[in-house]
Amino acid sequence: MMRKSIFRYLMVLLMLSSNGVFSQAKLKLWYEHPAQKWEETLALGNGRLGMMPDGGITRETVVLNDITLWSGAPQDANNYEASKSLPQIRKLLAEGKNDEAQELVNRDFICTGKGSGGVNYGCFQVLGTLQMNFSYPGATADQLKDNGYHRELSIGEAIASSSYQINGVKYKKEYLTSFDDDICLIRITADKPGALNFKVSISRPERGEASIAGQELQLQGQLDNGIDGKGMQYLSRVRAVLKGGKLTTEKEALVISKATEVILFVASGTDFRASDFRMKTEQVMAAAMKKRYALQRSNHIRNFQHLFNRVSVSIGHQLMDSVPTDLRLERFHKNPAADLGFPALFYQFGRYLSISSTRVGLLPPNLQGLWANQIQTPWTGDYHLDVNVQMNHWPVEVSNLSELNLPLAELVRGLVKPGQRTAKAYYNADGWIAHVITNVWGFTEPGESASWGSSNAGSGWLCNNLWDHYAFSNDKEYLRSIYPILKGSAEFYNSVLVRDEETGWLVTAPSVSPENSFYLPNGKTASISMGPTIDNQIVRELFGNVIAASEMLGLDAGFRAILQEKLKSIPPAGNISKDGRIMEWLRDYKETDPQHRHISHLYGLYPATLITPAGTPELAEAAKKTLEVRGDDGPSWTIAYKLLFWARLQDGERAYKLLTELLKSTTRTDMNYGAGGGIYPNLLSAGPPFQIDGNFGGAAGIAEMLIQSHEGYIELLPAAPAAWKAAGSFSGLKARGNYTVNASWKEGRVTDFKVMAPFAPAKVKVKVNGEVKEVLSVKI
C-alpha cells in the first residue's frame, strides 16, 4: 500500500509539473499578418542582444540591438564653482523668492555643456537592420496576400516564428536570440526542395559600413564620442548554412538560391568593456555553427526557462487564446470580464521582457529595455533616475527574478566615484549624489535645466532598489557589498540638510519635485524649492535602512547615532494640505498642472512603505484624494504607477480600472508628456513613443494585486478585484524574507497556499481571507 501511495503521489506531482510546463508553453502573442511598423514587431532578447523581426513575406526587416552600444564617452560636466552660489540660493528660498533662486540655479547650478542634449553625453542606439528580400518564382500577387499567414512569439520559450503558404509551398521562419551561444539565429525552411531564394543585406543609418569577407556579411563602424569622433566600435557578422541550393555573394549581400533550409547566424559585439570584441564575435560564430540547430534551440529554451518557469499565474477560465493578440488587446479594454486571462499573459510578458533585456554582469534595461530602431532614441534611451529605471526593476523581486536586480546594483556602484565629485562641486558635501539622468559613462551632474535637472532624489531612490534586493533575498553578503553605497548616499543627505526656520525641520535645498512646478504668491511659477516631499520620504527611508544595515553588520555605531538623531528632525512621511491631499512641497503651493504625470510625493506609499492603510490611515486617505485629483490617464508608466498606488491602498477595483486603462491599444508614436499612454499591438508600452517602464510597472502592479509582504506579514490577494475572485492560482511568487509562495482561490477565498524557503522551517505570518495566522514554512 505504501509503494502504491508513493507512486500515486509521484504521478500527481508529474501531472502538475507537466500541466505547468504546458500552460507556460501556451503563453504566446500571435498575429494574422506581418508587422506594418516597428511597434508591431516581436521583441526577442537574451540580455545583451536584441532582435525584432517583422515577419515580412517578400521583404523582411529584422532590427538588431546590442544593449552596450552607446555613443558619447565619460565626461566631467561638473561646475566646480557651483557651491559658491549655494548660500545665496538657499537664502532666496528661505525668503520665498523661489523664482529668483531658480534663475540663479539655471545660471550657476546646472551641468556644464549641453548635458543630455550633447553628443558627449551619448545615446543608446540601434545596432543595425538585417534585410531579406525573397523571390517566389511563378507566384501571383493574390498568392502573396492570401496565404494562411501566422506570426507568433512564444514567451514561454523565447522563440518567434512566422509561416505562410505560397504556390503550394509551406514556408516557416523561426527566430531566437540564443541563451546558449549568445548569438542571433534565424532558421528558414520550405517543405519542398529548392524553394528558398533570397538575398541578405545589413545596414545602418549612419556610421556603419557593410562588406563581404569570404562568405561572411559584415557591418562595422565607430560611433561619435563627442570629442574626436572615435567612440565605441561595433561589429556584426552574418553567415548562412544551407541545406540544398547554393550560396554566393555580391556587393554587400549574401545570395541564397534554390535552398530547402537556411540558418542565418548573426554574431555581434562592441568594445564596451571588451577590447577583444572582434575575436569574441568570431569565436561565438564558430562555436554556434558547429552545433546542430536542434541542440542550440533546446539549450536556449532550457536556459531561458530556468528563469521563466519559476512562476505561473492563472486568473479565471475565460481565455481568448484563439483571438489574435492585437484584437485581443482591443477587446480586453472594452470588455475585460470576457478575457480574464489577458492580465496573466501581460504579467508574464513583463517577466519575459525582464529576462530578455538584462543579465548578470552586464547592464540593466534602459528606457528602451534593449530594443531601439533609431540612432537618436527618445530621451536618449538612457537611465532616468526620477522613476523610470527604478520602475524597470519593480517586478523582478516579487516575480522570482531576483538576480536581475544585480546589474542595476553594479551600475549604481559605478556612480559612486563620479557622484562624490558632483557632491563636492555643487554642495561641498560628503558622500555621493546622482541627480536625474545617467548613462553607461557615469553621469551624475545636474541636468541642463533647473526645472527638472536639480532633483536630489535620484541617488536615494536608487538605494531603495538596492535595499529591496536584500529585503527579498536576506543575502547578508550582498548587504555587506552594497552597504558603502547606501552609507555614501546617507552621508550626502546628512551633509546637505538645512533647517527650515518656519517648521524647524531639516530639509534638502535646493531641489525639485521631479518635473513639476507650482505657483508662488506673486503669481510667478517655479520648480526649485526646499524640502519637496519626495526628498523627505527618501531621506527618512534611507536613514532607517542604513541604521538597520549598520546594526546587522556591526558597523559605524557613531554614524548610526548621528542618523538616529537627525531622523527626529526629518519631516514626516507626508503633510496633509487644507484640501485633504498630501502636499507635494514643504509649503502648500498650488501646482501648475494638477494632472501632472509625476506623482512623486506618493513615493512613501510605493515603492517605500512609509504610508499604509493599516499603519498610517490618515495619510492613506490623503493619498487617495491625491490620486483622485491626478486622474487615471497619462503616459503608460504613469498609469502603471497609479495602478501600483491603488494596489498598495488595497483598492482592487480601482487598481483593476487602472490596469484596464493601461491595456488600451494605441499606435501613436509622437513624443508625449500627458494623457494618451497605452500598449502597442506587440504589447510593448507606449509613452508614447515606446518606453518599456510601462510594461514593467504594469507587471509589478499585477503582482502587487496578488501578494504583498511589506507590513511584517505575507498577504494573499490584498487587492484582487471581484472579477478575479471566481477562481485562480499562482506559484513561485516571492515575499520579503526570501519566501516563495503558492496559492489558489475560488469564489473569493483562498483555498490552498504554501510558503516555502531555502532554510529550516520557520514561523511566518500570513494574512489569508482577512485573518493573520502563523504558519510554518516548508524547506525547499
Side-chain angles (χ1 to χ4, degrees):
M1 282 295 292
M2 177 65 73
R3 292 177 66 184
K4 287 184 178 179
S5 297
I6 292 173
F7 177 75
R8 281 197 298 268
Y9 175 69
L10 291 174
M11 288 301 293
V12 168
L13 281 181
L14 180 61
M15 201 164 62
L16 289 172
S17 173
S18 299
N19 287 340
V21 172
F22 178 68
S23 64
Q24 298 286 69
K26 289 202 304 181
L27 292 167
K28 65 181 181 181
L29 319 183
W30 74 275
Y31 308 85
E32 294 179 314
H33 52 79
Q36 301 302 307
K37 57 178 66 175
W38 183 71
E39 290 77 13
E40 297 176 4
T41 61
L42 300 175
L44 295 159
N46 67 1
R48 182 177 74 87
L49 299 174
M51 183 164 63
M52 296 188 75
D54 66 11
I57 297 172
T58 57
R59 175 181 172 85
E60 174 150 24
T61 298
V62 182
V63 177
L64 304 173
N65 291 109
D66 183 318
I67 197 171
T68 67
L69 187 63
W70 268 76
S71 59
Q75 63 172 316
D76 188 343
N78 289 299
N79 176 3
Y80 288 97
E81 300 296 313
S83 63
K84 294 179 181 178
S85 298
L86 187 58
Q88 181 62 17
I89 292 169
R90 286 174 170 168
K91 180 175 181 293
L92 290 169
L93 289 173
E95 294 171 352
K97 299 176 182 178
N98 301 59
D99 51 334
E100 294 180 33
Q102 185 154 329
E103 290 177 8
L104 195 53
V105 171
N106 270 321
R107 191 189 77 185
D108 296 339
F109 218 75
I110 59 174
C111 61
T112 61
K114 296 182 179 179
S116 62
V119 177
N120 198 185
Y121 179 84
C123 181
F124 173 60
Q125 297 191 2
V126 63
L127 174 61
T129 301
L130 192 73
Q131 288 110 7
M132 291 176 279
N133 290 292
F134 294 85
S135 61
Y136 304 92
T140 65
D142 288 341
Q143 288 174 325
L144 293 174
K145 292 178 182 178
D146 186 15
N147 49 35
Y149 187 91
H150 181 90
R151 180 170 62 101
E152 72 173 51
L153 169 63
S154 167
I155 64 173
E157 296 181 332
I159 293 176
S161 63
S162 62
S163 61
Y164 48 90
Q165 183 169 324
I166 295 176
N167 213 9
V169 181
K170 293 180 181 179
Y171 296 89
K172 184 175 182 181
K173 304 171 187 172
E174 193 167 79
Y175 321 77
L176 60 93
T177 48
S178 179
F179 280 81
D180 184 20
D181 279 333
D182 201 14
I183 194 169
C184 296
L185 297 174
I186 303 173
R187 180 176 182 250
I188 307 169
T189 59
D191 73 344
K192 292 186 178 179
L196 293 176
N197 299 277
F198 62 100
K199 291 183 180 181
V200 183
S201 59
I202 192 168
S203 62
R204 194 173 191 275
E206 66 173 39
R207 291 181 172 263
E209 181 180 347
S211 62
I212 292 289
Q215 289 193 318
E216 181 176 274
L217 175 62
Q218 297 182 355
L219 176 69
Q220 55 190 312
Q222 187 169 29
L223 305 192
D224 192 352
N225 59 3
I227 304 169
D228 58 7
K230 297 179 180 179
M232 190 179 293
Q233 300 179 71
Y234 67 90
L235 170 65
S236 286
R237 304 174 184 270
V238 185
R239 301 201 68 177
V241 172
L242 281 61
K243 283 187 180 179
K246 184 179 181 181
L247 172 65
T248 58
T249 63
E250 60 182 41
K251 185 182 179 183
E252 301 175 7
L254 303 177
V255 182
I256 288 97
S257 304
K258 297 183 178 180
T260 305
E261 175 183 301
V262 178
I263 302 175
L264 296 178
F265 298 80
V266 186
S268 303
T270 75
D271 65 354
F272 180 75
R273 302 178 189 164
S275 58
D276 59 346
F277 73 103
R278 296 180 187 278
M279 182 181 69
K280 283 186 175 180
T281 56
E282 189 173 357
Q283 291 172 342
V284 166
M285 178 70 80
M289 292 183 71
K290 289 177 183 177
K291 195 172 293 184
R292 291 182 299 107
Y293 178 78
L295 179 60
Q296 178 83 241
R297 187 182 190 277
S298 64
N299 288 351
H300 159 79
I301 293 173
R302 183 194 65 228
N303 294 341
F304 170 76
Q305 289 183 342
H306 170 70
L307 294 170
F308 188 79
N309 280 358
R310 293 174 184 175
V311 170
S312 67
V313 174
S314 174
I315 301 172
H317 302 299
Q318 296 98 323
L319 303 178
M320 297 180 67
D321 295 337
S322 60
V323 178
T325 304
D326 47 350
L327 297 180
R328 192 175 178 186
L329 175 63
E330 293 176 6
R331 293 179 183 180
F332 175 83
H333 182 68
K334 295 174 183 175
N335 185 15
D339 190 4
L340 295 179
F342 193 60
L345 175 67
F346 187 71
Y347 168 72
Q348 289 286 34
F349 183 59
R351 293 183 69 248
Y352 164 85
L353 291 174
S354 289
I355 299 168
S356 301
S357 62
T358 189
R359 67 167 69 159
V360 175
L362 206 52
L363 293 170
N366 57 50
L367 284 172
Q368 305 271 142
L370 59 66
W371 297 279
N373 67 333
Q374 302 172 48
I375 296 295
Q376 188 60 47
T377 46
W379 297 285
T380 73
D382 69 359
Y383 300 101
H384 276 35
L385 309 182
D386 57 355
V387 68
N388 310 95
V389 74
Q390 292 91 345
M391 184 178 286
N392 283 2
H393 294 80
W394 286 344
V396 298
E397 296 293 342
V398 67
S399 297
N400 212 334
L401 299 172
S402 187
E403 60 266 57
L404 299 187
N405 239 333
L406 298 177
L408 178 65
E410 294 311 305
L411 181 81
V412 176
R413 195 185 306 278
L415 298 180
V416 171
K417 284 188 177 179
Q420 289 170 343
R421 293 194 296 268
T422 298
K424 283 294 182 188
Y426 289 83
Y427 306 92
N428 195 26
D430 299 330
W432 70 279
I433 184 175
H435 288 83
V436 184
I437 52 175
T438 195
N439 52 23
V440 298
W441 311 117
F443 189 92
T444 57
E445 295 87 338
E448 59 268 24
S449 172
S451 63
W452 58 268
S454 299
S455 171
N456 282 192
S459 42
W461 197 332
L462 289 168
C463 289
N464 168 274
N465 287 75
L466 270 59
W467 179 264
D468 247 15
H469 181 70
Y470 169 71
F472 276 86
S473 69
N474 267 7
D475 185 341
K476 206 164 183 178
E477 286 308 306
Y478 165 81
L479 180 62
R480 193 177 300 277
S481 169
I482 65 165
Y483 177 74
I485 304 173
L486 305 182
K487 179 187 175 185
S489 183
E491 286 174 327
F492 169 79
Y493 291 113
N494 179 58
S495 290
V496 302
L497 293 175
V498 295
R499 194 166 299 279
D500 172 50
E501 295 302 325
E502 187 174 318
T503 62
W505 289 325
L506 292 174
V507 296
T508 55
S511 190
V512 300
S513 185
E515 304 184 37
N516 206 357
S517 60
F518 51 86
Y519 291 104
L520 292 166
N522 63 10
K524 294 184 179 181
T525 63
S527 300
I528 293 292
S529 71
M530 298 178 70
T533 298
I534 183 175
D535 286 15
N536 305 331
Q537 294 168 339
I538 282 176
V539 170
R540 177 168 288 280
E541 176 193 47
L542 177 64
F543 282 11
N545 288 343
V546 172
I547 289 167
S550 71
E551 289 174 340
M552 284 185 277
L553 298 174
L555 299 171
D556 296 321
F559 185 57
R560 183 194 320 150
I562 291 171
L563 297 185
Q564 287 169 329
E565 185 62 30
K566 283 282 179 75
L567 265 177
K568 298 174 183 177
S569 298
I570 302 300
N575 294 302
I576 300 175
S577 68
K578 56 182 178 291
D579 66 1
R581 293 183 290 155
I582 290 180
M583 290 164 53
E584 188 163 354
W585 296 275
L586 194 62
R587 312 283 184 250
D588 198 3
Y589 297 124
K590 179 184 178 183
E591 63 269 66
T592 56
D593 180 5
Q595 283 78 49
H596 195 272
R597 62 191 176 280
H598 282 269
I599 320 103
S600 303
H601 47 313
L602 296 192
Y603 172 92
L605 176 61
Y606 190 98
T609 60
L610 302 173
I611 300 172
T612 66
T616 59
E618 289 185 0
L619 288 177
E621 284 302 313
K624 290 180 183 179
K625 291 182 180 178
T626 301
L627 289 168
E628 292 288 0
V629 173
R630 272 302 203 261
D632 290 345
D633 209 339
S636 59
W637 65 264
T638 301
I639 301 171
Y641 204 175
K642 293 169 182 175
L643 157 62
L644 280 155
F645 288 139
W646 284 110
R648 269 288 166 90
L649 291 167
Q650 301 196 341
D651 187 331
E653 299 310 315
R654 192 60 177 271
Y656 193 42
K657 180 178 183 294
L658 266 297
L659 178 60
T660 305
E661 182 68 25
L662 174 64
L663 294 176
K664 63 174 180 280
S665 181
T666 185
T667 57
R668 285 179 56 188
T669 58
D670 57 302
M671 195 77 82
N672 175 54
Y673 291 90
I679 302 296
Y680 290 121
N682 61 5
L683 294 197
L684 292 178
S685 65
F690 164 54
Q691 200 174 309
I692 203 167
D693 39 20
N695 287 102
F696 293 138
I702 292 168
E704 197 76 13
M705 295 165 77
L706 297 173
I707 185 171
Q708 295 179 14
S709 60
H710 58 280
E711 289 268 46
Y713 51 81
I714 300 168
E715 185 167 4
L716 305 179
L717 306 184
W724 290 5
K725 290 185 177 180
S729 65
F730 63 76
S731 65
L733 293 181
K734 298 286 286 192
R736 290 166 179 82
N738 201 12
Y739 293 104
T740 303
V741 184
N742 299 350
S744 56
W745 63 92
K746 191 173 183 179
E747 296 177 358
R749 294 187 62 81
V750 174
T751 55
D752 187 35
F753 71 93
K754 181 184 290 187
V755 180
M756 299 159 284
F759 43 80
K763 292 180 179 179
V764 57
K765 291 181 179 178
V766 181
K767 187 173 184 180
V768 54
N769 298 328
E771 178 185 353
V772 177
K773 55 179 68 176
E774 200 168 62
V775 302
L776 205 61
S777 65
V778 177
K779 188 177 188 303
I780 52 173

